[in-house]
Amino acid sequence: MRRNELDIVLNTMLSTRKDVSDLNFTVDKSLQVESNGELVPVPFGLVNEALTPYQSEMIALNLLGGSRRLIESLLRSGSSDSSYSLSDQARFRVNIFSQRSQYSIVMRKLNTRIPSIPELLLPDIFYQIAHEKTGLILITGATGSGKTTTLAALLNYINDSKSVHVITLEDPVEFVHPQKKATFNHRELGIDFDSFANGLRAALRQAPKVILVGEMRDRDTVSIGLSAAETGHLVLSTLHTIDAGQTINRILGMFDQEEQKQVRLRLSDTLRWVISQRLAPVIGGGRRAVLEIMGANLRTQESIQLGESEGKGFYEIIEASKTFGWRTFDQSCIDLFEQGLITEDTALLYCSKKGVVTRAIDILKKTRGEIATSVTKLGMKPEQTGSAQVRVAPTLKLKP
């Protein structure tokens, strides 16, 4: 398969559905696209119904483009990350990996248009987050939960409102921000720098005010990121964690036990926001980000320094700070259900504590006059012995 034939295949796959987020190539399966969180098969003439090992290898080689670095990475580590441009129509983040001595490929479609905070329906507190001058802001969530898109919206607002120097360190570069009020320099791993730690270390000498690190992957990157936040930079990054509490524990777990106390102090001083998100399907189609938002105050700093305890966990701290724009996943799910955007089943699937959400939904249903339980027509059944009913004898009243 030549590159022009591959481009035809990719174009056809993109045109099969309106909201395609990923293209999937797996041996012994037909070509697939992911739309609204579900994989959908795509039959195509140039490729058999079931992809052969030879075809997947040819597709992989075309995507690697003859890059020696990427080929060595694939052979040495079993996977390779790269980017691919489909003329001016689309850009992809590509991951090629081996499984059972065969190659599989997942291509994440990157939006060429930079999203804004209102377009993503993000809460107004994101404007406050974007106005931070220094410190560490973390966007967390599972793969495919929209972390990079949320970061792009934050940087887009900074680009429109501040005359600052922004350096991005990514693998690969996903959103290319135009030169507006801010000055952007996009650097890609493997092309412009060899590791996030070295790229971040070099960025400190390049006079940025804002540094985007694609992912906090290791101890060195986190340590240098904390140093950058301590020296007056605003550092934005991502982590693959499911909520604020796990984010703190994940960072601390990267360091040795004897370093824990010092890292807790540094993290409590520099951490500004932790935003965790999950993409939930909405009624009528599409997906919406369910958010957990935790900022920095005396209570969060104390819990980071001393650890969580009863009544002083991050969940309780966030829950008590809703008036300041913070929210737990449970509060977000309840709000979306109340607005009629998600179903009860979806709310229970994407929340953190099902009991909390179930009780809140029952209260909402009663307020609306809806039936809050499926149990109806309660009554007493006569007791039975064998096939005959046992009736209670009437009470005898004695005459005076």
Side-chain angles (χ1 to χ4, degrees), residues 244-245 248-249 251-252 260-272 274 294-309 312 314 317:
I248 304 302
N249 294 331
I251 292 174
L252 295 173
Q260 293 278 319
K261 185 176 180 180
Q262 182 64 26
V263 174
R264 284 182 181 274
L265 288 172
R266 296 178 68 192
L267 187 60
S268 66
D269 288 338
T270 57
L271 187 65
R272 298 291 180 266
V274 177
M294 184 183 78
N297 62 14
L298 292 176
R299 293 186 67 192
T300 55
Q301 289 177 338
E302 181 183 7
S303 293
I304 293 172
Q305 291 175 14
L306 305 177
E308 295 181 275
S309 59
K312 294 183 179 181
F314 294 113
I317 294 171

PDB file of all heavy atoms in Angstrom, residues 244-245 248-249 251-252 260-272 274 294-309 312 314 317:
ATOM      1  N   ALA A 244      -8.757  13.885  42.073  1.00  0.00           N
ATOM      2  CA  ALA A 244      -7.764  14.752  42.701  1.00  0.00           C
ATOM      3  C   ALA A 244      -6.922  13.998  43.715  1.00  0.00           C
ATOM      4  O   ALA A 244      -5.692  14.156  43.763  1.00  0.00           O
ATOM      5  CB  ALA A 244      -8.473  15.939  43.362  1.00  0.00           C
ATOM      6  N   GLY A 245      -7.577  13.170  44.550  1.00  0.00           N
ATOM      7  CA  GLY A 245      -6.826  12.433  45.567  1.00  0.00           C
ATOM      8  C   GLY A 245      -5.787  11.501  44.970  1.00  0.00           C
ATOM      9  O   GLY A 245      -4.641  11.439  45.447  1.00  0.00           O
ATOM     10  N   ILE A 248      -2.650  13.453  43.690  1.00  0.00           N
ATOM     11  CA  ILE A 248      -1.653  13.776  44.719  1.00  0.00           C
ATOM     12  C   ILE A 248      -0.840  12.534  45.077  1.00  0.00           C
ATOM     13  O   ILE A 248       0.394  12.580  45.157  1.00  0.00           O
ATOM     14  CB  ILE A 248      -2.346  14.338  45.976  1.00  0.00           C
ATOM     15  CG1 ILE A 248      -3.215  15.566  45.634  1.00  0.00           C
ATOM     16  CG2 ILE A 248      -1.306  14.689  47.029  1.00  0.00           C
ATOM     17  CD1 ILE A 248      -2.473  16.704  44.999  1.00  0.00           C
ATOM     18  N   ASN A 249      -1.513  11.419  45.267  1.00  0.00           N
ATOM     19  CA  ASN A 249      -0.818  10.184  45.646  1.00  0.00           C
ATOM     20  C   ASN A 249       0.110   9.702  44.537  1.00  0.00           C
ATOM     21  O   ASN A 249       1.189   9.149  44.813  1.00  0.00           O
ATOM     22  CB  ASN A 249      -1.833   9.096  45.993  1.00  0.00           C
ATOM     23  CG  ASN A 249      -2.632   9.428  47.243  1.00  0.00           C
ATOM     24  OD1 ASN A 249      -2.133  10.122  48.129  1.00  0.00           O
ATOM     25  ND2 ASN A 249      -3.863   8.948  47.320  1.00  0.00           N
ATOM     26  N   ILE A 251       1.732  11.560  42.324  1.00  0.00           N
ATOM     27  CA  ILE A 251       2.928  12.403  42.311  1.00  0.00           C
ATOM     28  C   ILE A 251       3.852  12.020  43.466  1.00  0.00           C
ATOM     29  O   ILE A 251       5.064  11.849  43.288  1.00  0.00           O
ATOM     30  CB  ILE A 251       2.544  13.892  42.394  1.00  0.00           C
ATOM     31  CG1 ILE A 251       1.841  14.324  41.097  1.00  0.00           C
ATOM     32  CG2 ILE A 251       3.774  14.757  42.631  1.00  0.00           C
ATOM     33  CD1 ILE A 251       1.290  15.727  41.139  1.00  0.00           C
ATOM     34  N   LEU A 252       3.292  11.873  44.651  1.00  0.00           N
ATOM     35  CA  LEU A 252       4.110  11.513  45.813  1.00  0.00           C
ATOM     36  C   LEU A 252       4.750  10.142  45.632  1.00  0.00           C
ATOM     37  O   LEU A 252       5.886   9.912  46.066  1.00  0.00           O
ATOM     38  CB  LEU A 252       3.250  11.526  47.078  1.00  0.00           C
ATOM     39  CG  LEU A 252       2.680  12.883  47.495  1.00  0.00           C
ATOM     40  CD1 LEU A 252       1.718  12.719  48.665  1.00  0.00           C
ATOM     41  CD2 LEU A 252       3.808  13.851  47.857  1.00  0.00           C
ATOM     42  N   GLN A 260       9.617  12.287  50.727  1.00  0.00           N
ATOM     43  CA  GLN A 260       8.191  12.565  50.782  1.00  0.00           C
ATOM     44  C   GLN A 260       7.866  13.886  51.475  1.00  0.00           C
ATOM     45  O   GLN A 260       7.064  14.672  50.980  1.00  0.00           O
ATOM     46  CB  GLN A 260       7.470  11.417  51.503  1.00  0.00           C
ATOM     47  CG  GLN A 260       7.492  10.101  50.759  1.00  0.00           C
ATOM     48  CD  GLN A 260       6.418  10.022  49.693  1.00  0.00           C
ATOM     49  OE1 GLN A 260       5.300  10.441  49.900  1.00  0.00           O
ATOM     50  NE2 GLN A 260       6.767   9.479  48.547  1.00  0.00           N
ATOM     51  N   LYS A 261       8.461  14.134  52.628  1.00  0.00           N
ATOM     52  CA  LYS A 261       8.129  15.340  53.391  1.00  0.00           C
ATOM     53  C   LYS A 261       8.433  16.599  52.597  1.00  0.00           C
ATOM     54  O   LYS A 261       7.609  17.525  52.538  1.00  0.00           O
ATOM     55  CB  LYS A 261       8.894  15.346  54.715  1.00  0.00           C
ATOM     56  CG  LYS A 261       8.499  16.504  55.616  1.00  0.00           C
ATOM     57  CD  LYS A 261       9.206  16.409  56.967  1.00  0.00           C
ATOM     58  CE  LYS A 261       8.803  17.579  57.866  1.00  0.00           C
ATOM     59  NZ  LYS A 261       9.469  17.507  59.200  1.00  0.00           N
ATOM     60  N   GLN A 262       9.598  16.638  51.960  1.00  0.00           N
ATOM     61  CA  GLN A 262       9.987  17.814  51.192  1.00  0.00           C
ATOM     62  C   GLN A 262       9.087  17.993  49.977  1.00  0.00           C
ATOM     63  O   GLN A 262       8.677  19.118  49.652  1.00  0.00           O
ATOM     64  CB  GLN A 262      11.454  17.694  50.755  1.00  0.00           C
ATOM     65  CG  GLN A 262      11.981  18.891  49.983  1.00  0.00           C
ATOM     66  CD  GLN A 262      12.004  20.154  50.809  1.00  0.00           C
ATOM     67  OE1 GLN A 262      12.091  20.096  52.032  1.00  0.00           O
ATOM     68  NE2 GLN A 262      11.915  21.304  50.154  1.00  0.00           N
ATOM     69  N   VAL A 263       8.754  16.887  49.300  1.00  0.00           N
ATOM     70  CA  VAL A 263       7.888  16.963  48.123  1.00  0.00           C
ATOM     71  C   VAL A 263       6.488  17.434  48.511  1.00  0.00           C
ATOM     72  O   VAL A 263       5.865  18.233  47.796  1.00  0.00           O
ATOM     73  CB  VAL A 263       7.824  15.599  47.399  1.00  0.00           C
ATOM     74  CG1 VAL A 263       6.807  15.639  46.265  1.00  0.00           C
ATOM     75  CG2 VAL A 263       9.191  15.220  46.858  1.00  0.00           C
ATOM     76  N   ARG A 264       5.985  16.961  49.647  1.00  0.00           N
ATOM     77  CA  ARG A 264       4.662  17.416  50.116  1.00  0.00           C
ATOM     78  C   ARG A 264       4.646  18.925  50.326  1.00  0.00           C
ATOM     79  O   ARG A 264       3.683  19.607  49.961  1.00  0.00           O
ATOM     80  CB  ARG A 264       4.301  16.692  51.417  1.00  0.00           C
ATOM     81  CG  ARG A 264       3.866  15.242  51.234  1.00  0.00           C
ATOM     82  CD  ARG A 264       3.485  14.616  52.561  1.00  0.00           C
ATOM     83  NE  ARG A 264       3.077  13.224  52.420  1.00  0.00           N
ATOM     84  CZ  ARG A 264       1.849  12.828  52.122  1.00  0.00           C
ATOM     85  NH1 ARG A 264       0.899  13.741  51.942  1.00  0.00           N
ATOM     86  NH2 ARG A 264       1.553  11.544  52.005  1.00  0.00           N
ATOM     87  N   LEU A 265       5.710  19.458  50.922  1.00  0.00           N
ATOM     88  CA  LEU A 265       5.791  20.899  51.149  1.00  0.00           C
ATOM     89  C   LEU A 265       5.842  21.657  49.826  1.00  0.00           C
ATOM     90  O   LEU A 265       5.143  22.672  49.642  1.00  0.00           O
ATOM     91  CB  LEU A 265       7.017  21.231  52.000  1.00  0.00           C
ATOM     92  CG  LEU A 265       6.949  20.831  53.482  1.00  0.00           C
ATOM     93  CD1 LEU A 265       8.307  21.031  54.149  1.00  0.00           C
ATOM     94  CD2 LEU A 265       5.882  21.637  54.200  1.00  0.00           C
ATOM     95  N   ARG A 266       6.658  21.171  48.898  1.00  0.00           N
ATOM     96  CA  ARG A 266       6.791  21.845  47.598  1.00  0.00           C
ATOM     97  C   ARG A 266       5.476  21.796  46.823  1.00  0.00           C
ATOM     98  O   ARG A 266       5.054  22.782  46.227  1.00  0.00           O
ATOM     99  CB  ARG A 266       7.906  21.188  46.776  1.00  0.00           C
ATOM    100  CG  ARG A 266       9.288  21.322  47.370  1.00  0.00           C
ATOM    101  CD  ARG A 266      10.309  20.595  46.514  1.00  0.00           C
ATOM    102  NE  ARG A 266      10.476  21.255  45.221  1.00  0.00           N
ATOM    103  CZ  ARG A 266      11.127  20.709  44.191  1.00  0.00           C
ATOM    104  NH1 ARG A 266      11.645  19.488  44.311  1.00  0.00           N
ATOM    105  NH2 ARG A 266      11.245  21.354  43.055  1.00  0.00           N
ATOM    106  N   LEU A 267       4.814  20.631  46.849  1.00  0.00           N
ATOM    107  CA  LEU A 267       3.568  20.467  46.106  1.00  0.00           C
ATOM    108  C   LEU A 267       2.456  21.330  46.699  1.00  0.00           C
ATOM    109  O   LEU A 267       1.671  21.945  45.966  1.00  0.00           O
ATOM    110  CB  LEU A 267       3.155  18.994  46.106  1.00  0.00           C
ATOM    111  CG  LEU A 267       1.964  18.604  45.231  1.00  0.00           C
ATOM    112  CD1 LEU A 267       2.231  18.932  43.765  1.00  0.00           C
ATOM    113  CD2 LEU A 267       1.663  17.109  45.383  1.00  0.00           C
ATOM    114  N   SER A 268       2.393  21.407  48.032  1.00  0.00           N
ATOM    115  CA  SER A 268       1.347  22.222  48.656  1.00  0.00           C
ATOM    116  C   SER A 268       1.531  23.705  48.350  1.00  0.00           C
ATOM    117  O   SER A 268       0.556  24.456  48.279  1.00  0.00           O
ATOM    118  CB  SER A 268       1.346  21.999  50.175  1.00  0.00           C
ATOM    119  OG  SER A 268       2.536  22.494  50.761  1.00  0.00           O
ATOM    120  N   ASP A 269       2.777  24.139  48.167  1.00  0.00           N
ATOM    121  CA  ASP A 269       3.042  25.551  47.857  1.00  0.00           C
ATOM    122  C   ASP A 269       2.791  25.899  46.392  1.00  0.00           C
ATOM    123  O   ASP A 269       2.437  27.046  46.081  1.00  0.00           O
ATOM    124  CB  ASP A 269       4.498  25.896  48.208  1.00  0.00           C
ATOM    125  CG  ASP A 269       4.729  25.963  49.714  1.00  0.00           C
ATOM    126  OD1 ASP A 269       3.737  26.161  50.449  1.00  0.00           O
ATOM    127  OD2 ASP A 269       5.886  25.810  50.147  1.00  0.00           O
ATOM    128  N   THR A 270       2.984  24.941  45.488  1.00  0.00           N
ATOM    129  CA  THR A 270       2.931  25.260  44.056  1.00  0.00           C
ATOM    130  C   THR A 270       1.632  24.845  43.374  1.00  0.00           C
ATOM    131  O   THR A 270       1.256  25.432  42.356  1.00  0.00           O
ATOM    132  CB  THR A 270       4.095  24.583  43.309  1.00  0.00           C
ATOM    133  OG1 THR A 270       4.053  23.172  43.533  1.00  0.00           O
ATOM    134  CG2 THR A 270       5.433  25.126  43.786  1.00  0.00           C
ATOM    135  N   LEU A 271       0.944  23.826  43.897  1.00  0.00           N
ATOM    136  CA  LEU A 271      -0.254  23.335  43.221  1.00  0.00           C
ATOM    137  C   LEU A 271      -1.372  24.367  43.300  1.00  0.00           C
ATOM    138  O   LEU A 271      -1.737  24.824  44.385  1.00  0.00           O
ATOM    139  CB  LEU A 271      -0.715  22.015  43.848  1.00  0.00           C
ATOM    140  CG  LEU A 271      -1.858  21.305  43.118  1.00  0.00           C
ATOM    141  CD1 LEU A 271      -1.428  20.838  41.737  1.00  0.00           C
ATOM    142  CD2 LEU A 271      -2.352  20.110  43.943  1.00  0.00           C
ATOM    143  N   ARG A 272      -1.920  24.721  42.146  1.00  0.00           N
ATOM    144  CA  ARG A 272      -3.015  25.691  42.093  1.00  0.00           C
ATOM    145  C   ARG A 272      -4.359  25.019  41.829  1.00  0.00           C
ATOM    146  O   ARG A 272      -5.350  25.320  42.476  1.00  0.00           O
ATOM    147  CB  ARG A 272      -2.733  26.730  41.009  1.00  0.00           C
ATOM    148  CG  ARG A 272      -1.483  27.561  41.238  1.00  0.00           C
ATOM    149  CD  ARG A 272      -1.635  28.511  42.424  1.00  0.00           C
ATOM    150  NE  ARG A 272      -0.419  29.302  42.625  1.00  0.00           N
ATOM    151  CZ  ARG A 272       0.557  28.968  43.456  1.00  0.00           C
ATOM    152  NH1 ARG A 272       0.460  27.857  44.184  1.00  0.00           N
ATOM    153  NH2 ARG A 272       1.625  29.725  43.590  1.00  0.00           N
ATOM    154  N   VAL A 274      -6.348  21.169  40.376  1.00  0.00           N
ATOM    155  CA  VAL A 274      -6.402  19.826  39.804  1.00  0.00           C
ATOM    156  C   VAL A 274      -7.782  19.669  39.186  1.00  0.00           C
ATOM    157  O   VAL A 274      -8.798  19.785  39.873  1.00  0.00           O
ATOM    158  CB  VAL A 274      -6.171  18.723  40.848  1.00  0.00           C
ATOM    159  CG1 VAL A 274      -6.313  17.346  40.197  1.00  0.00           C
ATOM    160  CG2 VAL A 274      -4.796  18.861  41.483  1.00  0.00           C
ATOM    161  N   MET A 294     -10.626  20.906  41.885  1.00  0.00           N
ATOM    162  CA  MET A 294     -10.093  21.226  43.212  1.00  0.00           C
ATOM    163  C   MET A 294      -9.062  22.327  43.101  1.00  0.00           C
ATOM    164  O   MET A 294      -8.120  22.235  42.306  1.00  0.00           O
ATOM    165  CB  MET A 294      -9.452  19.991  43.863  1.00  0.00           C
ATOM    166  CG  MET A 294      -8.964  20.252  45.286  1.00  0.00           C
ATOM    167  SD  MET A 294      -8.121  18.835  46.050  1.00  0.00           S
ATOM    168  CE  MET A 294      -6.499  18.949  45.263  1.00  0.00           C
ATOM    169  N   GLY A 295      -9.237  23.393  43.870  1.00  0.00           N
ATOM    170  CA  GLY A 295      -8.274  24.481  43.902  1.00  0.00           C
ATOM    171  C   GLY A 295      -7.358  24.374  45.105  1.00  0.00           C
ATOM    172  O   GLY A 295      -7.246  23.322  45.743  1.00  0.00           O
ATOM    173  N   ALA A 296      -6.697  25.477  45.423  1.00  0.00           N
ATOM    174  CA  ALA A 296      -5.753  25.503  46.540  1.00  0.00           C
ATOM    175  C   ALA A 296      -6.285  26.425  47.634  1.00  0.00           C
ATOM    176  O   ALA A 296      -6.641  27.570  47.363  1.00  0.00           O
ATOM    177  CB  ALA A 296      -4.388  25.989  46.061  1.00  0.00           C
ATOM    178  N   ASN A 297      -6.364  25.911  48.851  1.00  0.00           N
ATOM    179  CA  ASN A 297      -6.662  26.725  50.025  1.00  0.00           C
ATOM    180  C   ASN A 297      -5.945  26.104  51.212  1.00  0.00           C
ATOM    181  O   ASN A 297      -5.176  25.146  51.070  1.00  0.00           O
ATOM    182  CB  ASN A 297      -8.179  26.859  50.246  1.00  0.00           C
ATOM    183  CG  ASN A 297      -8.861  25.522  50.507  1.00  0.00           C
ATOM    184  OD1 ASN A 297      -8.202  24.509  50.787  1.00  0.00           O
ATOM    185  ND2 ASN A 297     -10.175  25.508  50.431  1.00  0.00           N
ATOM    186  N   LEU A 298      -6.183  26.638  52.404  1.00  0.00           N
ATOM    187  CA  LEU A 298      -5.472  26.144  53.585  1.00  0.00           C
ATOM    188  C   LEU A 298      -5.780  24.676  53.863  1.00  0.00           C
ATOM    189  O   LEU A 298      -4.910  23.917  54.306  1.00  0.00           O
ATOM    190  CB  LEU A 298      -5.832  27.005  54.804  1.00  0.00           C
ATOM    191  CG  LEU A 298      -5.318  28.452  54.776  1.00  0.00           C
ATOM    192  CD1 LEU A 298      -5.829  29.207  55.991  1.00  0.00           C
ATOM    193  CD2 LEU A 298      -3.796  28.488  54.718  1.00  0.00           C
ATOM    194  N   ARG A 299      -7.020  24.258  53.585  1.00  0.00           N
ATOM    195  CA  ARG A 299      -7.405  22.872  53.868  1.00  0.00           C
ATOM    196  C   ARG A 299      -6.720  21.895  52.900  1.00  0.00           C
ATOM    197  O   ARG A 299      -6.244  20.836  53.325  1.00  0.00           O
ATOM    198  CB  ARG A 299      -8.922  22.725  53.784  1.00  0.00           C
ATOM    199  CG  ARG A 299      -9.682  23.461  54.871  1.00  0.00           C
ATOM    200  CD  ARG A 299     -11.164  23.144  54.794  1.00  0.00           C
ATOM    201  NE  ARG A 299     -11.423  21.746  55.123  1.00  0.00           N
ATOM    202  CZ  ARG A 299     -12.593  21.146  54.921  1.00  0.00           C
ATOM    203  NH1 ARG A 299     -13.602  21.812  54.387  1.00  0.00           N
ATOM    204  NH2 ARG A 299     -12.756  19.875  55.253  1.00  0.00           N
ATOM    205  N   THR A 300      -6.659  22.252  51.622  1.00  0.00           N
ATOM    206  CA  THR A 300      -5.980  21.357  50.670  1.00  0.00           C
ATOM    207  C   THR A 300      -4.475  21.314  50.949  1.00  0.00           C
ATOM    208  O   THR A 300      -3.859  20.255  50.854  1.00  0.00           O
ATOM    209  CB  THR A 300      -6.231  21.798  49.215  1.00  0.00           C
ATOM    210  OG1 THR A 300      -5.831  23.166  49.048  1.00  0.00           O
ATOM    211  CG2 THR A 300      -7.698  21.661  48.844  1.00  0.00           C
ATOM    212  N   GLN A 301      -3.904  22.459  51.295  1.00  0.00           N
ATOM    213  CA  GLN A 301      -2.477  22.477  51.610  1.00  0.00           C
ATOM    214  C   GLN A 301      -2.169  21.600  52.822  1.00  0.00           C
ATOM    215  O   GLN A 301      -1.181  20.866  52.840  1.00  0.00           O
ATOM    216  CB  GLN A 301      -2.023  23.917  51.866  1.00  0.00           C
ATOM    217  CG  GLN A 301      -1.995  24.779  50.603  1.00  0.00           C
ATOM    218  CD  GLN A 301      -1.616  26.217  50.891  1.00  0.00           C
ATOM    219  OE1 GLN A 301      -1.765  26.695  52.006  1.00  0.00           O
ATOM    220  NE2 GLN A 301      -1.130  26.922  49.886  1.00  0.00           N
ATOM    221  N   GLU A 302      -3.041  21.661  53.842  1.00  0.00           N
ATOM    222  CA  GLU A 302      -2.838  20.845  55.033  1.00  0.00           C
ATOM    223  C   GLU A 302      -2.950  19.356  54.707  1.00  0.00           C
ATOM    224  O   GLU A 302      -2.151  18.543  55.185  1.00  0.00           O
ATOM    225  CB  GLU A 302      -3.873  21.224  56.094  1.00  0.00           C
ATOM    226  CG  GLU A 302      -3.727  20.441  57.393  1.00  0.00           C
ATOM    227  CD  GLU A 302      -4.807  20.776  58.399  1.00  0.00           C
ATOM    228  OE1 GLU A 302      -5.749  21.517  58.043  1.00  0.00           O
ATOM    229  OE2 GLU A 302      -4.723  20.278  59.532  1.00  0.00           O
ATOM    230  N   SER A 303      -3.928  19.000  53.858  1.00  0.00           N
ATOM    231  CA  SER A 303      -4.104  17.585  53.502  1.00  0.00           C
ATOM    232  C   SER A 303      -2.954  17.078  52.648  1.00  0.00           C
ATOM    233  O   SER A 303      -2.592  15.900  52.723  1.00  0.00           O
ATOM    234  CB  SER A 303      -5.429  17.401  52.765  1.00  0.00           C
ATOM    235  OG  SER A 303      -6.520  17.642  53.633  1.00  0.00           O
ATOM    236  N   ILE A 304      -2.381  17.935  51.800  1.00  0.00           N
ATOM    237  CA  ILE A 304      -1.214  17.528  51.006  1.00  0.00           C
ATOM    238  C   ILE A 304      -0.002  17.332  51.909  1.00  0.00           C
ATOM    239  O   ILE A 304       0.738  16.352  51.787  1.00  0.00           O
ATOM    240  CB  ILE A 304      -0.907  18.571  49.906  1.00  0.00           C
ATOM    241  CG1 ILE A 304      -2.022  18.591  48.862  1.00  0.00           C
ATOM    242  CG2 ILE A 304       0.433  18.259  49.235  1.00  0.00           C
ATOM    243  CD1 ILE A 304      -1.894  19.720  47.853  1.00  0.00           C
ATOM    244  N   GLN A 305       0.205  18.230  52.868  1.00  0.00           N
ATOM    245  CA  GLN A 305       1.376  18.161  53.739  1.00  0.00           C
ATOM    246  C   GLN A 305       1.295  17.003  54.734  1.00  0.00           C
ATOM    247  O   GLN A 305       2.280  16.307  54.965  1.00  0.00           O
ATOM    248  CB  GLN A 305       1.521  19.478  54.506  1.00  0.00           C
ATOM    249  CG  GLN A 305       1.904  20.663  53.641  1.00  0.00           C
ATOM    250  CD  GLN A 305       1.921  21.972  54.425  1.00  0.00           C
ATOM    251  OE1 GLN A 305       1.907  21.968  55.645  1.00  0.00           O
ATOM    252  NE2 GLN A 305       1.927  23.090  53.716  1.00  0.00           N
ATOM    253  N   LEU A 306       0.109  16.801  55.317  1.00  0.00           N
ATOM    254  CA  LEU A 306      -0.032  15.816  56.390  1.00  0.00           C
ATOM    255  C   LEU A 306      -0.703  14.533  55.962  1.00  0.00           C
ATOM    256  O   LEU A 306      -0.713  13.551  56.701  1.00  0.00           O
ATOM    257  CB  LEU A 306      -0.813  16.435  57.560  1.00  0.00           C
ATOM    258  CG  LEU A 306      -0.251  17.737  58.137  1.00  0.00           C
ATOM    259  CD1 LEU A 306      -1.157  18.261  59.236  1.00  0.00           C
ATOM    260  CD2 LEU A 306       1.172  17.537  58.654  1.00  0.00           C
ATOM    261  N   GLY A 307      -1.295  14.526  54.777  1.00  0.00           N
ATOM    262  CA  GLY A 307      -2.027  13.360  54.308  1.00  0.00           C
ATOM    263  C   GLY A 307      -3.505  13.463  54.663  1.00  0.00           C
ATOM    264  O   GLY A 307      -3.894  14.218  55.559  1.00  0.00           O
ATOM    265  N   GLU A 308      -4.315  12.702  53.952  1.00  0.00           N
ATOM    266  CA  GLU A 308      -5.754  12.720  54.198  1.00  0.00           C
ATOM    267  C   GLU A 308      -6.073  12.015  55.510  1.00  0.00           C
ATOM    268  O   GLU A 308      -5.400  11.063  55.903  1.00  0.00           O
ATOM    269  CB  GLU A 308      -6.499  12.042  53.051  1.00  0.00           C
ATOM    270  CG  GLU A 308      -6.394  12.760  51.721  1.00  0.00           C
ATOM    271  CD  GLU A 308      -7.164  12.055  50.632  1.00  0.00           C
ATOM    272  OE1 GLU A 308      -6.578  11.118  50.021  1.00  0.00           O
ATOM    273  OE2 GLU A 308      -8.329  12.409  50.379  1.00  0.00           O
ATOM    274  N   SER A 309      -7.119  12.484  56.181  1.00  0.00           N
ATOM    275  CA  SER A 309      -7.605  11.850  57.403  1.00  0.00           C
ATOM    276  C   SER A 309      -9.120  11.949  57.417  1.00  0.00           C
ATOM    277  O   SER A 309      -9.719  12.556  56.529  1.00  0.00           O
ATOM    278  CB  SER A 309      -6.996  12.512  58.645  1.00  0.00           C
ATOM    279  OG  SER A 309      -7.323  13.895  58.670  1.00  0.00           O
ATOM    280  N   LYS A 312     -11.078  15.063  56.537  1.00  0.00           N
ATOM    281  CA  LYS A 312     -10.136  15.977  55.900  1.00  0.00           C
ATOM    282  C   LYS A 312      -9.614  15.390  54.587  1.00  0.00           C
ATOM    283  O   LYS A 312      -8.485  15.655  54.183  1.00  0.00           O
ATOM    284  CB  LYS A 312      -8.962  16.295  56.831  1.00  0.00           C
ATOM    285  CG  LYS A 312      -9.361  17.074  58.069  1.00  0.00           C
ATOM    286  CD  LYS A 312      -8.143  17.419  58.921  1.00  0.00           C
ATOM    287  CE  LYS A 312      -8.545  18.216  60.147  1.00  0.00           C
ATOM    288  NZ  LYS A 312      -7.367  18.570  60.981  1.00  0.00           N
ATOM    289  N   PHE A 314      -9.737  14.846  50.412  1.00  0.00           N
ATOM    290  CA  PHE A 314      -9.929  15.797  49.304  1.00  0.00           C
ATOM    291  C   PHE A 314     -11.380  15.833  48.843  1.00  0.00           C
ATOM    292  O   PHE A 314     -11.885  16.884  48.456  1.00  0.00           O
ATOM    293  CB  PHE A 314      -8.991  15.438  48.148  1.00  0.00           C
ATOM    294  CG  PHE A 314      -7.536  15.606  48.477  1.00  0.00           C
ATOM    295  CD1 PHE A 314      -6.683  14.512  48.552  1.00  0.00           C
ATOM    296  CD2 PHE A 314      -7.009  16.854  48.732  1.00  0.00           C
ATOM    297  CE1 PHE A 314      -5.353  14.658  48.876  1.00  0.00           C
ATOM    298  CE2 PHE A 314      -5.669  17.024  49.058  1.00  0.00           C
ATOM    299  CZ  PHE A 314      -4.840  15.916  49.137  1.00  0.00           C
ATOM    300  N   ILE A 317     -13.261  18.093  51.187  1.00  0.00           N
ATOM    301  CA  ILE A 317     -12.828  19.483  51.010  1.00  0.00           C
ATOM    302  C   ILE A 317     -13.468  20.085  49.754  1.00  0.00           C
ATOM    303  O   ILE A 317     -13.967  21.220  49.764  1.00  0.00           O
ATOM    304  CB  ILE A 317     -11.292  19.560  50.918  1.00  0.00           C
ATOM    305  CG1 ILE A 317     -10.663  19.148  52.252  1.00  0.00           C
ATOM    306  CG2 ILE A 317     -10.839  20.961  50.537  1.00  0.00           C
ATOM    307  CD1 ILE A 317      -9.160  18.979  52.206  1.00  0.00           C
TER     308      ILE A 317
END
